[in-house]
């Protein structure tokens, strides 16, 4: 149920102007913070000569499609990686933790920290389905459908990406490239020259953008275009309301001198478009790694706050892992007792067995046209979404209140 269930909808509509005053006041403060915050990157660009070289290497795709000869020592590596993937691909909590462990060891692999935070957000979205934010907005059947979609996407990306990260670890350890083994794990041939270049040059931006492109295309036909998820998730009125009001963010909790942790991030719009998802991924990368204070504080947050799936992890003044304490709204900027229920993942959902992703190489259907997605992106003009997210919480609960009134 929404937080307004004890009062009439009309009473809360009348209070909207007063509720939004803190948002308006804090907007100017946000603009000041964004203007004064140092940015180490102005854009996300990759050397065109390098991209042309990689594009040419894809002309000889046949060299990557020949039968792979696995040497005895490589068989052991392959088996160890498959075992590790099964062990860590249990649920959103284990995946999120695994990404962070990789980044802690190899900070040049920027994508691992980005994946950690995107996966954290996936967990928060999963528990929202059982918490104050969405439980009164969705039927039990809809909750299950949304969770299954989020879980399958999270698990599929991990199934594809984590072997790549572990092969890189083996390559570092043995001081030789094992990129030729990527197809053994079902990874697209697109990633072989990318990893070979990264092992040689440690070009973090190239690898990160390539992994964003790869993972979003990996889930496109397997998950996003799946007719079951199209019908039970994307075509539902609840999803379309969230899209219409732009109510979904990927959040990066970071700290300032304020006693309330601020939030950086980016809106998620037009999720069904794979190129838009790639663009959002690149924008998130710019924010997380291109703004030193965001990187420093977010990395500190990740290390100091184990992922539980509850939004209490970053805003304990608003969210509680326990049941709702009270139902009276207070501003996101005011410290007080939490009143919105945000359960842990283990309390909200049981582990499920995800099917093996469908085999196939997405790149073979796309070809070199995909390289246009490496085009430069500018640093977003706005990166602090604290106020926007606070407003979104209020709007989601108003929508839930309207639904409850009409039911």
């Amino acid at each position: 149920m929404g937080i307004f269930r004890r009062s009439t909808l009309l009473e809360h509509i009348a209070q909207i102007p007063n509720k939004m005053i803190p948002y308006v006041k804090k907007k100017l403060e946000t603009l000041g913070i964004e203007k004064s915050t140092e940015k180490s990157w102005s854009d996300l660009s990759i050397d065109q000569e390098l991209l042309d070289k990689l594009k040419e290497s894809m002309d000889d795709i046949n060299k990557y499609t020949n039968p792979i000869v696995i040497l005895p020592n490589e068989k052991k590596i392959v088996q160890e990686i498959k075992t590790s993937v099964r062990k860590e691909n249990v649920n959103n909590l284990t995946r999120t933790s695994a990404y962070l462990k990789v980044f802690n060891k190899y900070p040049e692999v920027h994508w691992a920290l980005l994946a950690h935070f995107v996966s954290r957000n996936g967990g928060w979205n999963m528990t929202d389905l059982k918490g104050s934010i969405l439980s009164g907005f969705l039927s039990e059947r809809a909750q299950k459908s949304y969770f299954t979609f989020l879980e399958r996407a999270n698990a599929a990306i991990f199934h594809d990406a984590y072997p790549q990260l572990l092969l890189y670890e083996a390559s570092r350890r043995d001081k030789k490239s094992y990129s030729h083994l990527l197809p053994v794990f079902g990874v697209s041939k697109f990633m072989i020259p990318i990893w070979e270049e990264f092992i040689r040059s440690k070009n973090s931006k190239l690898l990160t953008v390539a992994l964003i492109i790869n993972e979003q295309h990996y889930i496109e036909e397997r998950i996003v275009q799946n007719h079951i998820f199209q019908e039970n998730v994307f075509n539902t009125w609840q999803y379309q309301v969230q899209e219409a009001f732009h109510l979904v963010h990927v959040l990066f909790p970071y700290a300032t001198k304020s006693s309330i942790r601020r939030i950086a991030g980016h809106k998620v719009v037009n999720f069904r478009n794979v190129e838009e998802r790639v663009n959002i991924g690149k924008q998130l990368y710019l924010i997380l790694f291109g703004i030193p204070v965001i990187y420093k504080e977010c990395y500190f947050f990740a290390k100091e706050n184990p992922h539980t799936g509850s939004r209490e992890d970053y805003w304990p003044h608003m969210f509680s892992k326990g049941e709702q304490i009270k139902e009276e709204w207070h501003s996101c900027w005011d410290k007080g007792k939490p009143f919105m229920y945000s359960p842990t993942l283990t309390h909200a959902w049981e582990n499920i067995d995800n099917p093996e992703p469908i085999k196939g190489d997405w790149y073979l259907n796309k070809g070199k046209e995909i390289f246009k997605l490496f085009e430069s992106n500018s640093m977003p003009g706005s990166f602090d979404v604290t106020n926007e997210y606070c407003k979104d919480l209020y709007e989601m609960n108003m929508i839930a209140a309207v639904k409850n009134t009409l039911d």
Side-chain angles (χ1 to χ4, degrees), residues 147-314:
F147 169 72
T148 303
F149 165 72
L150 293 167
E151 169 65 13
R152 292 276 165 83
N154 196 242
I157 288 175
F158 189 86
H159 180 86
D160 184 73
Y162 197 52
Q164 299 182 57
L165 303 179
L166 296 184
L167 268 183
Y168 173 67
E169 181 175 50
S171 297
R172 281 280 303 262
R173 180 192 65 220
D174 297 344
K175 295 181 172 56
K176 60 177 292 187
S177 174
Y178 290 117
S179 301
H180 63 285
L181 295 177
L182 287 170
V184 174
F185 302 97
V187 177
S188 171
K189 278 81 175 179
F190 167 75
M191 289 305 302
I192 297 177
I194 299 290
W195 276 106
E196 289 178 344
E197 172 62 26
F198 180 72
I199 290 169
R200 184 190 68 79
S201 66
K202 298 298 185 290
N203 189 326
S204 298
K205 291 181 180 179
L206 171 69
L207 178 66
T208 303
V209 175
L211 280 167
I212 291 170
I213 293 169
N214 180 68
E215 301 315 325
Q216 292 308 319
H217 282 85
Y218 184 79
I219 67 169
E220 176 65 8
E221 291 188 5
R222 292 172 174 85
I223 308 293
V224 178
Q225 295 303 326
N226 182 291
H227 70 94
I228 295 175
F229 295 130
Q230 285 287 321
E231 178 181 350
N232 295 326
V233 176
F234 296 117
N235 291 336
T236 63
W237 68 267
Q238 292 96 335
Y239 176 84
Q240 290 168 10
V241 164
Q242 292 182 73
E243 277 260 300
F245 284 87
H246 295 172
L247 296 176
V248 180
H249 283 94
V250 174
L251 307 178
F252 297 142
Y254 75 103
T256 63
K257 294 179 182 179
S258 169
S259 59
I260 303 299
R261 181 176 284 116
R262 298 190 72 95
I263 300 172
H266 200 278
K267 283 185 179 291
V268 177
V269 295
N270 201 13
F271 183 85
R272 282 181 279 188
N273 184 296
V274 64
E275 293 189 9
E276 186 61 34
R277 295 200 306 275
V278 169
N279 182 61
I280 291 169
K282 291 162 72 176
Q283 296 289 300
L284 291 169
Y285 179 37
L286 276 162
I287 293 169
L288 183 59
F289 280 87
I291 305 176
V293 68
I294 301 295
Y295 167 75
K296 177 183 176 183
E297 299 292 352
C298 283
Y299 187 34
F300 179 81
F301 170 84
K303 291 186 294 183
E304 295 298 314
N305 296 274
H307 178 51
T308 70
S310 171
R311 293 187 184 272
E312 183 184 325
D313 292 347
Y314 65 88

Side-chain angles (χ1 to χ4, degrees), residues 330-361:
H330 63 70
S331 167
C332 299
W333 297 108
D334 297 331
K335 277 200 166 182
K337 291 183 178 180
F339 60 89
M340 300 186 75
Y341 176 47
S342 179
T344 62
L345 185 71
T346 53
H347 187 75
W349 298 102
E350 294 181 355
N351 295 340
I352 63 174
D353 293 326
N354 290 299
E356 191 84 4
I358 298 170
K359 297 186 184 302
D361 189 332

Side-chain angles (χ1 to χ4, degrees), residues 1-218:
M1 299 285 283
I3 61 171
F4 300 126
R5 61 185 176 182
R6 290 184 183 171
S7 302
T8 67
L9 179 60
L10 290 177
E11 287 175 341
H12 287 286
I13 290 176
Q15 294 173 16
I16 286 177
N18 290 333
K19 300 294 185 182
M20 299 309 293
I21 288 174
Y23 168 79
V24 175
K25 286 182 176 179
K26 291 293 182 178
K27 185 66 177 176
L28 292 176
E29 180 182 332
T30 298
L31 293 173
I33 289 173
E34 291 179 332
K35 185 176 181 180
S36 63
T37 298
E38 176 191 357
K39 301 173 183 66
S40 56
W41 299 354
S42 60
D43 59 27
L44 176 56
S45 58
I46 299 169
D47 182 70
Q48 189 58 50
E49 286 188 18
L50 174 58
L51 291 175
D52 290 340
K53 172 187 168 185
L54 291 168
K55 196 184 300 185
E56 287 178 13
S57 74
M58 298 306 294
D59 285 333
D60 195 12
I61 192 72
N62 289 330
K63 72 178 181 181
Y64 302 133
T65 58
N66 291 332
I68 301 171
V69 178
I70 305 178
L71 302 176
N73 70 305
E74 294 176 340
K75 288 182 180 179
K76 181 181 179 183
I77 292 172
V78 168
Q79 189 54 52
E80 287 175 347
I81 289 176
K82 287 183 176 180
T83 299
S84 294
V85 172
R86 285 194 297 270
K87 177 184 176 183
E88 301 295 347
N89 203 359
V90 174
N91 58 39
N92 173 263
L93 302 183
T94 57
R95 295 173 207 125
T96 306
S97 176
Y99 288 136
L100 185 60
K101 289 175 185 175
V102 170
F103 184 75
N104 288 338
K105 289 187 195 177
Y106 310 109
E108 68 273 20
V109 184
H110 291 179
W111 186 87
L113 185 62
L114 178 62
H116 169 81
F117 275 103
V118 172
S119 189
R120 271 197 187 241
N121 277 266
W124 294 330
N125 291 335
M126 291 174 188
T127 59
D128 285 347
L129 299 167
K130 294 286 189 178
S132 296
I133 294 179
L134 290 174
S135 61
F137 195 57
L138 301 169
S139 67
E140 287 190 19
R141 179 182 176 186
Q143 290 173 22
K144 180 66 174 177
S145 295
Y146 274 58
F147 169 72
T148 303
F149 165 72
L150 293 167
E151 169 65 13
R152 292 276 165 83
N154 196 242
I157 288 175
F158 189 86
H159 180 86
D160 184 73
Y162 197 52
Q164 299 182 57
L165 303 179
L166 296 184
L167 268 183
Y168 173 67
E169 181 175 50
S171 297
R172 281 280 303 262
R173 180 192 65 220
D174 297 344
K175 295 181 172 56
K176 60 177 292 187
S177 174
Y178 290 117
S179 301
H180 63 285
L181 295 177
L182 287 170
V184 174
F185 302 97
V187 177
S188 171
K189 278 81 175 179
F190 167 75
M191 289 305 302
I192 297 177
I194 299 290
W195 276 106
E196 289 178 344
E197 172 62 26
F198 180 72
I199 290 169
R200 184 190 68 79
S201 66
K202 298 298 185 290
N203 189 326
S204 298
K205 291 181 180 179
L206 171 69
L207 178 66
T208 303
V209 175
L211 280 167
I212 291 170
I213 293 169
N214 180 68
E215 301 315 325
Q216 292 308 319
H217 282 85
Y218 184 79

Side-chain angles (χ1 to χ4, degrees), residues 321-386:
K321 295 183 178 76
E323 294 295 331
Q324 292 177 207
I325 296 173
K326 61 178 182 176
E327 306 224 353
E328 180 184 345
W329 175 272
H330 63 70
S331 167
C332 299
W333 297 108
D334 297 331
K335 277 200 166 182
K337 291 183 178 180
F339 60 89
M340 300 186 75
Y341 176 47
S342 179
T344 62
L345 185 71
T346 53
H347 187 75
W349 298 102
E350 294 181 355
N351 295 340
I352 63 174
D353 293 326
N354 290 299
E356 191 84 4
I358 298 170
K359 297 186 184 302
D361 189 332
W362 64 265
Y363 182 77
L364 298 181
N365 294 325
K366 290 289 184 179
K368 292 188 291 183
E369 67 179 54
I370 208 69
F371 278 83
K372 69 182 181 181
L373 295 179
F374 282 96
E375 291 177 355
S376 177
N377 282 61
S378 298
M379 175 68 73
S382 178
F383 62 83
D384 187 300
V385 298
T386 314

